Amino acid sequence: MKSVICPYCGFGCRLRVNPETLTVIPDKTSPVNRGRICPKGLRATEFAVHRDRLKKPLKAVGRKFIPISWSQAIGEISHKLLEIRELYGPDAVAFIASSKCSNEENYLLQKIARLFGTNNIDNCARLCHESSVHALKATLGMGVQTNPYEDLEKFNAILIWGYNPAETHPVVMHYISEAKRRNAKVIVVDVRETMSSEWADYFLKIIPGTDIVLANAIMHVIIRDELYDEEFVENMTKGFNEIRMAVRKYTPEYAERITGIRSEIIEEVAKAFALAGSGAVMWGMGITQHVSGVDNVLALIDLALLLGYVGEKGGLYPMRGQNNVQGAAYMGALSEYLPGYVELTDMEFRRRVTRIWNTDKIPTERGLYLTEFFDAIAKGEVLALYVMGENPAVSEANSRKVVEALKKLELLVVQDIFPTKTSRYAHYILPAAAFCEKEGSYMNSERRIQWSSKVCDPPGDAKPDWEILTLLGKALGLPSFDYKMVEEITAEYFKLFPELEDREIEELKTPEGVIIPKKRLHTWSFATPDGKAHFKAVEYILPWETPDDEYPFILVTMRTMNSYNTGEMSLRSPSLAKLMKAPMAEISKEDAKRLGIRDGELIIIETRRGRIRIKAKIGDIKSGVVAVPFHSKVNRITSDALNKAGTPELKFSACKVYKA
Ligand SMILES: Nc1nc2c(c(=O)[nH]1)N[C@H]1C(S)=C(S)[C@@H](COP(=O)(O)OP(=O)(O)OC[C@H]3O[C@@H](n4cnc5c(=O)[nH]c(N)nc54)[C@H](O)[C@@H]3O)O[C@H]1N2
Ligand SMILES: Nc1nc2c(c(=O)[nH]1)N[C@H]1C(S)=C(S)[C@@H](COP(=O)(O)OP(=O)(O)OC[C@H]3O[C@@H](n4cnc5c(=O)[nH]c(N)nc54)[C@H](O)[C@@H]3O)O[C@H]1N2
Ligand code: SF4
Ligand SMILES: [Mo]
């Protein structure tokens, strides 16, 4: 049996795979999943043997793709990239790194971008938890989850906000169930009933986009009744007065009018959470994918700080989505940070980088955000796009606009394991090895770096992403691109990070792996320059599109258990695809009755960007809201308004709903 890291979600389960049969069992020695697994993990290798796998480099000739050799593909791509740089400068090229790929692969792609001369390098963290990164950095000095999963078991209250772990990180429920067995109180805030809300002692069904009002009202009660941790606030934080003033007007009665949650319940939940004595705050896309996304996260951090629920007595859990989204970001595949979330202008770290990369020419200005790439392409500012393991034609908001932009590119390279909706517009498609066909390290949500072994060979001429990038780096004439083994790249990032200097690569291969910078952050001081946590008071702001007479409904998008993101992998896992239900739009009983819509009937959802047809499912959801799974074609019509961190408002578009 060989040990691999699950290729689906960021929880980071370790799986054992039989090299002959490719059957999967959970690893009992893993401190992450402790012998548990979810339906996706159990079927993790199925897509790898699907007949659609890419086996040869392909070049678009007219309307067809023809197979070519690796040397022709890399030769022509590098030639075109250098030509575009020569004529228009390095910022005319943009790179998308992959939260599906290993640390080594993301490290290499961001190194290529930066040595090439641009910070236009980003990954799907932008669509996901970048709001959390910005908010955590501003308040605590570090943009990451603060505590390990194991701490969830010891806290007395768990607040799950805009997050549905029972479907999206199913194995974490074993930790939550252990906490519940010890009588911990679970509070869930969502716009609809979910598999997670079934676990709740308190379920608050909120009007989409009004989360700041609820958080501020909970803080209002806590401050009014003096339930906050005075000692912690006094010794460990700054800005309490600002918070006290800001939440004054957010009385429970005022909050009831805006959030739709009864004031008595707000009072009760505030007291239960504060009096628990310890608590975790876990959140997901219901918080981050709003124009107020950064502020939403700030409000949750403020709440935890008031109660001292950070470090020992509690933890902040922005639960990361993709299997290696945490690693891609840590390795520097973000347009505003160097590896380790270091600011682009940090001189000390730049000197380190210069020593290791043999260059001092990395640009200091932030690059474009992934979500800004497509407008820049439409304007003719970006002419070439290199995409590794990402499917923006489906995953980006307002995707029709994205597709129009892709068609305008002079060079689109897609490096993937499958032909995708994005690769249709590519000039070159490069076949990559899947997770179980290569070696490398991955970082999960609790910042644990774990090693994944090679189980079998890739199909045809497909190569591990790091090998493809090594060829590309060399062809572009970049310094130090002579990697023969993946461990040489691991060794290089070990040298780059001060927190890994004294560690051994071999440690990654143990069941525990290595957690960086350390297991539990902020236990007695914060990572800010003055060592204190900084409260940041926030006010409620309206979503980009508010419902009106023409578009009276709120369109929300979300995930379901057996489908995964854009479906390229999960739909090619036959037994998973069988479990997956066709996407349906959840609508409330009252709205269905008013519009004469029956359960299972076809409806049309229309926004200012277009319309989709989908079957209706009558569910327990706020009236005035319709919730559509991401694996439908919903991104053709979602709002692409961005927040301060560059994340689109995927959770709120004004729409109308009618019978088809
Ligand atoms: N099965 C499965 N698992 C996955 C994935 C997958 O596609 N399928 N994707 C992975 C990835 S990349 C990610 S990022 C994670 C995401 O994991 P989650 O964050 O759990 O994902 P979502 O279902 O998109 O959103 C969570 C919840 O937010 C709620 N919500 C929507 N709008 C609001 C609002 O305004 N306020 C509040 N309070 N709640 C709101 C939705 O109803 C939904 O239940 O999952 C990962 N795991
Ligand atoms: N409406 C709506 N839209 C959303 C969201 C939402 O909640 N609602 N959520 C957003 C979020 S949180 C995210 S993370 C994004 C996800 O958006 P994407 O990252 O675009 O979605 P995936 O389907 O995970 O695409 C991963 C791609 O990587 C490929 N791949 C897998 N393994 C490998 C490998 O080893 N090497 C290479 N080269 N390729 C590989 C797969 O075949 C697939 O094409 O979607 C965002 N879009
Ligand atoms: S919880 Fe996530 S990491 Fe674990 S088996 Fe399921 S999809 Fe894989
Ligand atoms: Mo995500």
Side-chain angles (χ1 to χ4, degrees):
M1 297 295 264
K2 297 272 185 151
S3 198
V4 299
I5 303 306
C6 178
Y8 283 108
C9 91
F11 193 71
C13 295
R14 184 181 280 281
L15 315 176
R16 296 186 66 78
V17 181
N18 181 323
E20 258 81 66
T21 58
L22 293 188
T23 43
V24 177
I25 53 167
D27 190 335
K28 287 205 181 78
T29 66
S30 162
V32 176
N33 50 311
R34 304 170 174 168
R36 316 276 189 178
I37 196 165
C38 86
K40 289 183 295 303
L42 194 61
R43 298 165 174 83
T45 51
E46 281 184 13
F47 66 78
V49 291
H50 193 277
R51 62 181 145 75
D52 286 355
R53 283 294 302 278
L54 293 166
K55 298 177 188 77
K56 286 216 173 296
L58 300 173
K59 177 180 180 172
V61 179
R63 296 174 130 252
K64 274 216 193 105
F65 284 102
I66 56 159
I68 56 173
S69 69
W70 274 109
S71 63
Q72 185 187 348
I74 297 291
E76 291 183 10
I77 291 166
S78 56
H79 180 81
K80 186 76 193 169
L81 287 171
L82 291 170
E83 186 183 279
I84 289 174
R85 182 174 69 178
E86 184 66 36
L87 289 172
Y88 307 99
D91 290 334
V93 178
F95 297 85
I96 306 181
S98 179
S99 296
K100 297 271 99 184
C101 288
S102 68
N103 291 334
E104 289 75 9
E105 291 160 344
N106 282 289
Y107 175 80
L108 278 198
L109 190 60
Q110 63 87 34
K111 184 174 168 183
I112 287 178
R114 290 185 163 127
L115 295 185
F116 187 79
T118 182
N119 282 321
N120 289 342
I121 166 82
D122 217 354
N123 80 91
C124 72
R126 191 66 57 198
L127 305 168
C128 194
H129 263 302
E130 209 49 24
S131 310
S132 307
V133 172
H134 283 224
L136 286 160
K137 238 181 176 257
T139 47
L140 313 184
M142 278 190 88
V144 291
Q145 182 177 318
T146 62
N147 290 58
Y149 305 141
E150 64 188 53
D151 285 3
L152 289 169
E153 292 176 336
K154 65 176 198 208
F155 297 138
N156 297 330
I158 299 179
L159 179 51
I160 299 175
W161 203 315
Y163 173 44
N164 181 16
E167 297 204 56
T168 55
H169 294 112
V171 174
V172 82
M173 298 319 281
H174 294 287
Y175 289 81
I176 293 171
S177 120
E178 188 53 31
K180 268 192 88 95
R181 211 180 49 79
R182 283 185 31 259
N183 268 327
K185 293 284 169 274
V186 174
I187 305 157
V188 172
V189 185
D190 205 301
V191 300
R192 59 193 183 104
E193 263 186 24
T194 64
M195 273 170 69
S196 306
S197 67
E198 286 169 25
W199 292 62
D201 297 283
Y202 301 93
F203 171 45
L204 311 188
K205 205 189 313 174
I206 193 169
I207 295 175
T210 64
D211 301 271
I212 288 177
V213 180
L214 177 62
N216 279 354
I218 292 175
M219 288 192 268
H220 174 100
V221 174
I222 290 171
I223 295 175
R224 182 199 67 199
D225 293 358
E226 296 182 358
L227 299 174
Y228 59 96
D229 184 338
E230 261 189 86
E231 206 185 315
F232 182 91
V233 167
E234 173 69 29
N235 297 329
M236 303 284 285
T237 70
K238 273 194 174 157
F240 172 66
N241 225 10
E242 194 196 328
I243 287 288
R244 188 168 50 187
M245 300 305 285
V247 303
R248 214 176 247 175
K249 70 166 189 268
Y250 291 85
T251 60
E253 293 70 30
Y254 168 73
E256 174 171 333
R257 289 199 297 278
I258 300 198
T259 64
I261 298 164
R262 290 206 341 263
S263 60
E264 305 90 298
I265 304 284
I266 299 175
E267 296 266 353
E268 206 180 319
V269 163
K271 286 168 197 159
F273 194 55
L275 295 171
S278 67
V281 185
M282 308 179 82
W283 69 92
M285 299 300 104
I287 282 295
T288 59
Q289 292 173 337
H290 286 281
V291 287
S292 59
V294 178
D295 292 352
N296 287 352
V297 179
L298 288 172
L300 300 189
I301 299 170
D302 288 338
L303 169 60
L305 286 174
L306 260 190
L307 299 170
Y309 289 177
V310 185
E312 284 297 341
K313 269 193 345 176
L316 295 166
Y317 293 81
M319 294 291 291
R320 302 310 304 244
Q322 297 261 37
N323 58 329
N324 202 34
V325 63
Q326 183 58 76
Y330 220 103
M331 293 298 135
L334 288 174
S335 57
E336 78 274 51
Y337 299 122
L338 290 169
Y341 294 106
V342 172
E343 302 291 336
L344 287 161
T345 48
D346 184 307
M347 280 321 288
E348 202 186 315
F349 193 78
R350 286 179 80 90
R351 275 194 286 276
R352 237 182 142 86
V353 172
T354 303
R355 248 194 344 264
I356 297 170
W357 293 358
N358 294 319
T359 176
D360 57 359
K361 296 204 178 60
I362 307 155
T364 47
E365 296 275 297
R366 95 153 162 89
L368 295 168
Y369 293 153
L370 168 56
T371 43
E372 295 170 335
F373 284 3
F374 306 95
D375 280 341
I377 296 168
K379 281 193 246 155
E381 290 163 9
V382 167
L383 303 172
L385 180 65
Y386 194 103
V387 182
M388 170 171 88
E390 176 83 356
N391 192 12
V394 182
S395 56
E396 288 285 326
N398 194 1
S399 58
R400 282 211 286 219
K401 200 175 93 181
V402 170
V403 167
E404 286 315 306
L406 293 176
K407 289 184 194 159
K408 281 194 69 181
L409 283 162
E410 275 192 27
L411 176 67
L412 173 61
V413 181
V414 173
Q415 177 175 319
D416 205 294
I417 58 175
F418 292 119
T420 65
K421 301 269 169 2
T422 303
S423 74
R424 285 182 190 172
Y425 310 100
H427 300 95
Y428 296 90
I429 305 178
L430 302 179
F435 75 108
C436 51
E437 300 153 359
K438 61 185 178 190
E439 272 193 280
S441 64
Y442 297 78
M443 194 190 275
N444 75 358
S445 193
E446 54 179 358
R447 297 169 275 102
R448 190 189 295 272
I449 314 177
Q450 311 187 89
W451 194 261
S452 191
S453 313
K454 178 175 170 175
V455 180
C456 53
D457 288 324
D461 292 343
K463 286 181 191 294
D465 293 274
W466 68 267
E467 279 188 42
I468 304 172
L469 297 178
T470 301
L471 293 175
L472 180 70
K474 262 200 256 185
L476 289 170
L478 304 176
S480 354
F481 259 85
D482 259 324
Y483 310 101
K484 299 204 173 50
M485 281 166 51
V486 73
E487 266 115 328
E488 293 171 24
I489 309 164
T490 322
E492 188 171 314
Y493 84 67
F494 265 55
K495 265 198 284 181
L496 194 64
F497 294 119
E499 57 266 44
L500 281 169
E501 242 166 14
D502 305 327
R503 312 300 292 255
E504 302 288 334
I505 294 177
E506 286 311 305
E507 287 178 72
L508 301 182
K509 300 179 181 173
T510 61
E512 284 74 30
V514 172
I515 297 187
I516 60 170
K518 59 181 183 166
K519 205 169 189 177
R520 222 164 263 109
L521 303 176
H522 318 303
T523 40
W524 48 272
S525 97
F526 289 90
T528 48
D530 61 6
K532 305 246 172 156
H534 295 237
F535 282 108
K536 300 270 180 218
V538 287
E539 295 285 349
Y540 169 53
I541 58 164
L542 290 175
W544 184 252
E545 286 184 334
T546 44
D548 54 20
D549 290 345
E550 202 184 349
Y551 297 100
F553 271 84
I554 301 169
L555 168 65
V556 159
T557 65
M558 77 314 185
R559 290 167 166 76
T560 57
M561 173 80 114
N562 299 312
S563 66
Y564 193 83
N565 288 357
T566 69
E568 297 294 352
M569 293 153 66
S570 50
L571 285 172
R572 290 184 176 102
S573 172
S575 75
L576 198 59
K578 225 182 263 169
L579 292 176
M580 193 182 100
K581 297 192 189 88
M584 291 178 96
E586 268 177 60
I587 178 171
S588 75
K589 228 184 283 163
E590 308 89 82
D591 290 334
K593 197 166 159 206
R594 194 164 47 80
L595 300 169
I597 294 167
R598 283 187 314 262
D599 204 36
E601 199 171 17
L602 260 186
I603 57 169
I604 290 180
I605 302 175
E606 183 178 329
T607 71
R608 291 188 174 86
R609 290 152 295 278
R611 58 176 86 107
I612 57 164
R613 285 158 72 90
I614 187 166
K615 279 186 181 164
K617 181 171 112 189
I618 297 173
D620 214 328
I621 183 165
K622 273 268 172 214
S623 135
V625 182
V626 56
V628 177
F630 168 23
H631 66 284
S632 59
K633 294 189 170 105
V634 69
N635 274 353
R636 291 184 184 175
I637 63 169
T638 47
S639 160
D640 56 355
L642 302 183
N643 69 29
K644 292 179 247 182
T647 303
E649 192 151 53
L650 291 159
K651 294 288 187 263
F652 201 115
S653 309
C655 70
K656 50 182 147 185
V657 176
Y658 47 92
K659 278 164 79 125

